[in-house]
């Protein structure tokens, strides 16, 4: 190893060494900005809209076919008499999910994502001018069926619910750590099928989530046979109460999102809620 | 899977910085990317090669520094390195750990030549 021929240059120290020999006129500008800053600012703006109308917003994420729409259908059946609910449908348009929700008698707004693999805060803001938020208690966003990128995008919602169906395998949390680390609640779905599967262990699935240093609760449900629905409904109601209490103190809550490691690792403080000024969309 | 749109955001930020500093050309762009950021470095690099054509960054090099996964345990105070799907404290087995590095998706710096 020497300092003349370049044999000591590794990917790790490359930039340091380059800086050692400043070239004429070359300036290095330190930036330290998240690449998703633009999305995150839009998300905070969306959240201010939701908070101004006191709506709790829940983002549902999972693989395709884990049962997001089926869960919404049976949840709405149970809650529509007592709560005012709406759905933003971001899953594939061809699945007619929005029509399935509308058939339950609540408003559903389809986002056309084309080939997009995730929703972002701008897509959600575009929908906001087509939908009345006034009077709503609960808004669900059904994200694109994908366990990879939706987890990185704050939409302005308050809670992430990640679904894992028993047919997918209990190792999914270990294979998709970014997604399962972002869960505020993990729902193990299609519980009615568990007796037919010999390789899915609920304990293993929970352990794999805990291994990600995520202490989010796990509930097991079957939307088909109404198993475990009561616990899910109670979770929703307690989240609504908690959110209302925060709003009274001019605070709000964010879902678990990437914290950018050391750059943003200041102690978690309650998120302040700033009312949005009425504006033209 | 959304590396192309991320790269568009990156170029937007870099072009803004280039304008602020009246850059003639951009030498390099350095990112800090954690394994838990949910972004594939290779795909990001490919996206960059496509999108940089005919822009002010056409000749710039994209340097991606992979940050280590480091957790801090609030119980024993230990800092340790971890893997992307096992973030439990190796000293006391607690899973209250906080990620202090490993999910970065950050534009760290831009090296540019200013007009003289
Ligand atoms: N056995 C069983 N099947 C279910 C359950 N929930 C959903 N499914 C089925 O799984 C498939 C995908 O469900 P869907 O709600 O469209 O999933 P999404 O893509 O996540 O919205 C459909 O054929 C549903 O009938 C369940 O609790 N039990
Ligand atoms: Mg669906
Ligand atoms: Zn040498
Ligand atoms: Zn707005
Ligand atoms: Zn995506
Ligand atoms: Zn410890």
């Amino acid at each position: 190893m020497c300092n003349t021929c370049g044999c000591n240059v590794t990917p790790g120290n490359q930039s340091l060494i380059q800086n050692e020999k400043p070239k004429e006129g070359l300036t290095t500008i330190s930036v330290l900005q998240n690449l998703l800053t633009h999305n995150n600012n839009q998300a905070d703006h969306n959240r201010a809209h939701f908070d101004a109308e006191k709506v709790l917003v829940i983002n549902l994420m999972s693989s395709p076919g884990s049962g997001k729409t089926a869960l919404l259908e049976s949840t709405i059946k149970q809650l529509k008499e007592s709560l005012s609910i709406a759905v933003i449908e971001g899953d594939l348009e061809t699945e007619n999910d929005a029509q399935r929700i509308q058939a339950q008698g609540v408003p559903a707004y389809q986002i056309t994502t084309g080939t997009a693999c995730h929703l972002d805060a701008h897509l959600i803001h575009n929908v906001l001018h087509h939908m009345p938020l006034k009077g709503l208690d609960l808004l669900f966003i059904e994200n694109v069926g994908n366990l990879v990128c939706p987890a990185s995008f704050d939409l302005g919602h308050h809670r992430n619910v990640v679904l894992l169906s028993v047919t997918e395998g209990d190792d999914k949390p270990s294979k998709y750590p970014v997604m399962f680390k972002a869960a505020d609640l993990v729902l193990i779905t299609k519980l009615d099928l568990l007796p037919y599967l010999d390789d899915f262990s609920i304990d293993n699935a929970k352990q794999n989530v805990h291994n990600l240093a995520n202490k989010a609760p796990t509930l097991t449900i079957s939307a088909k046979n109404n198993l475990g629905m009561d616990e899910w409904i109670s979770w929703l109601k307690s989240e609504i109460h908690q959110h209302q209490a925060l709003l009274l103190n001019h605070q709000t809550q964010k879902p678990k999102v990437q914290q950018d490691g050391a750059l943003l690792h200041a102690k978690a403080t309650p998120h302040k809620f700033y009312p949005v000024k009425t504006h033209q969309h | 899977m959304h590396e192309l749109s991320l790269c568009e955001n990156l170029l937007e930020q870099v072009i803004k910085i280039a304008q602020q500093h009246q850059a003639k050309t951009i030498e390099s762009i350095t990112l800090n990317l954690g394994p838990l950021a949910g972004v594939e470095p290779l795909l990001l690099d490919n996206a960059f090669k496509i999108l940089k054509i005919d822009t002010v960054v056409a000749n710039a090099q994209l340097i991606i520094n992979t940050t280590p996964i480091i957790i801090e345990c609030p119980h024993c105070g230990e800092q340790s390195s971890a893997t992307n799907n096992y973030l439990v404290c190796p000293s006391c087995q607690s899973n209250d750990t906080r990620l202090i590095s490993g999910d970065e998706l950050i534009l760290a710096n831009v090296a540019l030549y200013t007009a003289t």
Side-chain angles (χ1 to χ4, degrees):
Chain A
M1 293 283 252
C2 65
N3 281 323
T4 46
C5 80
C7 62
N8 60 352
V9 179
T10 64
N13 64 16
Q14 196 175 19
S15 50
L16 298 174
I17 289 163
Q18 279 172 350
N19 286 353
E20 271 174 18
K21 295 188 238 161
K23 293 182 199 155
E24 185 79 42
L26 183 67
T27 325
T28 301
I29 315 291
S30 175
V31 189
L32 292 183
Q33 193 176 38
N34 188 299
L35 293 190
L36 293 172
T37 302
H38 198 46
N39 182 76
N40 294 343
N41 292 342
Q42 181 66 61
D44 285 335
H45 174 95
N46 293 354
R47 202 160 12 249
H49 277 298
F50 297 137
D51 290 341
E53 301 300 340
K54 303 186 172 62
V55 193
L56 179 75
V57 185
I58 298 207
N59 179 26
L60 296 178
M61 298 185 284
S62 78
S63 315
S66 300
K68 297 181 294 302
T69 311
L71 173 72
L72 285 175
E73 289 172 306
S74 67
T75 306
I76 290 164
K77 250 185 214 128
Q78 295 205 21
L79 281 178
K80 69 180 169 193
E81 303 301 330
S82 53
L83 294 174
S84 171
I85 303 174
V87 175
I88 295 178
E89 192 48 68
D91 209 354
L92 297 183
E93 208 183 351
T94 49
E95 303 281 322
N96 294 326
D97 286 351
Q99 286 169 25
R100 282 167 64 187
I101 304 296
Q102 281 157 359
Q104 298 301 321
V106 306
Y109 305 84
Q110 176 75 50
I111 294 186
T112 311
T113 49
T115 57
C117 43
H118 61 270
L119 297 178
D120 67 31
H122 296 94
L123 286 171
I124 297 297
H125 191 251
N126 289 345
V127 182
L128 294 184
H129 54 149
H130 299 296
M131 63 183 297
L133 292 176
K134 214 165 218 51
L136 275 187
D137 299 307
L138 187 55
L139 173 66
F140 290 105
I141 301 174
E142 180 175 342
N143 217 310
V144 183
N146 172 359
L147 281 180
V148 183
C149 32
S152 300
F153 291 83
D154 187 355
L155 306 176
H157 58 289
H158 303 102
R159 285 290 177 250
N160 283 329
V161 173
V162 180
L163 285 73
L164 169 63
S165 64
V166 296
T167 52
E168 294 173 70
D170 53 27
D171 58 347
K172 275 275 155 73
S174 303
K175 286 186 176 160
Y176 298 92
V178 178
M179 175 60 73
F180 284 89
K181 196 167 171 46
D184 294 297
L185 174 72
V186 176
L187 279 183
I188 297 179
T189 61
K190 307 193 188 179
L191 192 62
D192 56 293
L193 298 179
L194 191 61
Y196 308 102
L197 301 160
D198 48 14
D199 57 349
F200 190 99
S201 148
I202 288 169
D203 285 340
N204 286 353
K206 285 183 181 171
Q207 187 59 50
N208 289 336
V209 174
H210 287 167
N211 286 348
L212 304 175
N214 185 353
K215 304 190 110 173
T218 303
L219 298 177
T220 51
I221 57 162
S222 162
K224 193 177 179 195
N225 292 359
N226 268 326
L227 299 167
M229 286 296 288
D230 291 349
E231 287 82 356
W232 156 243
I233 300 281
S234 322
W235 183 85
L236 284 173
K237 286 185 173 165
S238 80
E239 287 297 321
I240 291 174
H241 286 145
Q242 194 183 317
H243 187 227
Q244 299 289 345
L246 282 172
L247 290 177
L248 285 178
N249 286 321
H250 302 283
Q251 290 174 1
T252 186
Q253 55 192 345
K254 288 190 184 191
K256 289 207 181 89
V257 279
Q258 271 165 239
Q259 291 301 308
D260 273 332
L263 184 70
L264 305 170
H265 84 270
K267 288 234 162 45
T269 44
H271 297 288
K272 265 230 168 320
F273 143 58
Y274 304 97
V276 266
K277 297 200 178 71
T278 330
H279 63 276
Q280 225 49 50
H281 281 151
Chain B
M1 291 170 90
H2 47 269
E3 282 75 5
L4 207 61
S5 65
L6 264 184
C7 200
E8 280 167 5
N9 293 347
L10 169 66
L11 291 196
E12 252 173 52
Q13 289 183 14
V14 170
I15 288 166
K16 205 187 259 172
I17 290 161
Q19 283 165 351
Q20 279 165 3
H21 293 85
Q22 298 174 333
K24 249 189 343 196
T25 54
I26 296 176
E27 173 89 352
S28 66
I29 299 165
T30 305
L31 303 184
N32 292 344
L33 184 62
L36 286 168
V39 173
E40 205 44 67
L42 256 174
L43 294 181
L44 196 61
D45 199 49
N46 287 342
F48 182 73
K49 283 183 185 130
I50 295 165
L51 291 178
K52 72 175 185 177
I53 297 168
D54 287 339
T55 71
V56 60
V57 302
N59 297 314
Q61 190 195 355
L62 181 66
I63 301 168
I64 301 179
N65 291 326
T66 305
T67 58
I69 299 177
I70 300 173
I71 54 174
E72 187 176 75
C73 177
H75 301 294
C76 63
E78 200 93 350
Q79 277 194 7
S80 3
S81 62
T83 59
N84 64 354
N85 57 20
Y86 195 77
L87 302 166
V88 176
C89 173
S91 306
C92 74
Q93 313 310 318
S94 160
N95 64 0
D96 281 332
T97 61
R98 212 154 48 90
L99 196 62
I100 60 170
S101 164
D103 65 351
E104 298 85 352
L105 179 50
I106 290 171
L107 169 57
N109 66 60
V110 179
L112 45 80
Y113 286 100
T114 46
T116 40

